[in-house]
Amino acid sequence: MTTALIILAAGKGTRMNSDLPKVLHPLAGAPLLVHAMQTGASLEPTHSVVVAGHGAEMVRKAALTHDETAVVVEQTEQLGTGHATAQARAALADFDGTAIVIFGDTPFVRSETLAAMVEAQSSNDLVVLGFEAADPGRYGRLVVQDDQLERIVEFKDASEAERGITLCNSGVVACNANLLFKLIDAVGNDNAAGEYYLTDIVGIARARDLSATVVTCAESETLGINTRAELASAEAAFQSNARARAVDDGVTLPAPETVHFAFDTVIGRDTIVEPNVVFGPGVTVESGATIRAFSHLEGCHVARGAIIGPYARLRPGAELSENTRVGNFVEIKNAQIGEGSKVNHLSYIGDAVLGAQTNIGAGTITCNYDGVMKHRTEIGDNVFIGSNTMLVAPVHIGDGAMTGSGSVITSDVEANALAIARAPQVEKPGTAAKLIQILKAKKAKLQRGS
């Protein structure tokens, strides 16, 4: 069955007290909107339509950065969820499959839940996602009779008996696209807010003798983010779930509560992740690696048997081969580190390629930026770079070569050569003592003057 995704992302999010649109606030390294888009993408929809409103250009940029095939439409006036959904009509004019309406500020709905809704829609005209609430509070209630959803009743309009219902409305719906827009056309705005509510389509559908049913999910899936406190709670929930999944997948976390995952972190079995490690977006760690304490990784790939840290930073484009070593206070950016190579301490390797079994001494820097452009450093196999070497790119170091400690290398070094590029040491006997006396005299004169 073909599907289309309609993501409602037009809300201002006043309670966030922010200039940023609510759906762009980050959760696990990605905007809330991206979480919704990623879940929806699991259905392999033929169309993904994002309905933007407040901060539409920012929302558009985030949506297209994540999925360049998405269509972003704008709700210029915020007149309710029904009105927002109607803005997707033109984008789906030629579509006749199942449309699923989800929310950009509800990041935890599972792909399995959306798949169940699509399956249910194959034998029902309209499907609504509901949940059994521990405390129904002011949620809308789902009134079901004989396995058919009859109507959705808002709390303020509910009778005492209806308020006793614990099956609540999440707002997520699935319906044939053409039928969905026909039902929305019949929705009125005769309510206190003067808005067009998507929930009204259930009563309209039943009045037309169309079938409606409910698919249920855990209440935790329907968590919407409206305040920064709720965002913090969502982050805690995400991290707790991510840690549990990692452990179940065979990852060792000695102090799991201190490890921070991104929305797309991938870690292989038998990897050890020590305390206080942060994974930014775009990290893949293969099986059997070790990530030592206080390391930060983003946009990188770590192969089997590698040991990272402690206190290491891997930035986007870092590609570490098997059995590599990246030690304390080392930063790697947009660089390939060959199999078995070591960058053990106090070094920066950026815009570079290192061969296999190469050793980088402490304090080494690839000087990759000239103030305007970035340049590459190429280091071959079995190279030994002496401590405190500056490699001024573009530069090539051949296989088996060495550099002397404290060298500033500005030219290519041929294979198996030793390159030493430092000023000769000059010694002036007795000058140190004379200099100290001069400095002490100056200090005393300044003190007398004060």
Side-chain angles (χ1 to χ4, degrees), residues 207-223:
R208 297 180 180 182
D209 202 28
L210 298 171
S211 60
T213 192
V214 178
V215 167
T216 59
C217 67
E219 184 175 2
S220 58
E221 290 187 48
T222 67
L223 176 67

Side-chain angles (χ1 to χ4, degrees), residues 75-236:
Q75 184 189 24
T76 55
E77 294 181 274
Q78 276 67 66
L79 299 177
T81 51
H83 180 260
T85 305
Q87 307 312 303
R89 186 195 306 265
L92 299 179
D94 299 324
F95 178 74
D96 192 34
T98 299
I100 301 181
V101 182
I102 64 175
F103 295 86
D105 63 353
T106 305
F108 292 139
V109 177
R110 298 183 308 131
S111 56
E112 293 86 351
T113 298
L114 296 184
M117 293 185 70
V118 172
E119 177 64 26
Q121 203 277 314
S122 66
S123 55
N124 291 273
D125 295 306
L126 180 62
V127 180
V128 171
L129 180 63
F131 61 96
E132 290 286 345
D135 178 11
R138 303 188 68 83
Y139 287 119
R141 306 305 204 267
L142 301 182
V143 180
V144 178
Q145 295 180 359
D146 300 326
D147 295 326
Q148 281 288 297
L149 176 62
E150 294 296 328
R151 62 189 183 279
I152 301 175
V153 183
E154 297 302 324
F155 176 83
K156 64 180 182 296
D157 300 322
S159 66
E160 284 302 315
E162 289 169 337
R163 289 182 179 184
I165 296 172
T166 57
L167 183 61
C168 296
N169 176 40
S170 74
V172 178
V173 301
C175 184
N176 172 270
N178 292 326
L179 175 59
L180 174 66
F181 294 120
K182 289 178 182 178
L183 293 173
I184 288 175
D185 285 340
V187 173
N189 66 340
D190 185 16
N191 52 63
E195 294 186 348
Y196 300 87
Y197 295 128
L198 184 62
T199 51
D200 288 351
I201 67 174
V202 174
I204 295 169
R206 296 298 291 137
R208 297 180 180 182
D209 202 28
L210 298 171
S211 60
T213 192
V214 178
V215 167
T216 59
C217 67
E219 184 175 2
S220 58
E221 290 187 48
T222 67
L223 176 67
I225 311 301
N226 296 297
T227 67
R228 291 185 188 271
E230 290 174 350
L231 183 63
S233 296
E235 185 72 50

Side-chain angles (χ1 to χ4, degrees), residues 27 108 223 231-243 245:
L27 173 69
F108 292 139
L223 176 67
L231 183 63
S233 296
E235 185 72 50
F238 179 93
Q239 295 302 330
S240 179
N241 292 334
R243 293 160 188 156
R245 286 195 302 270

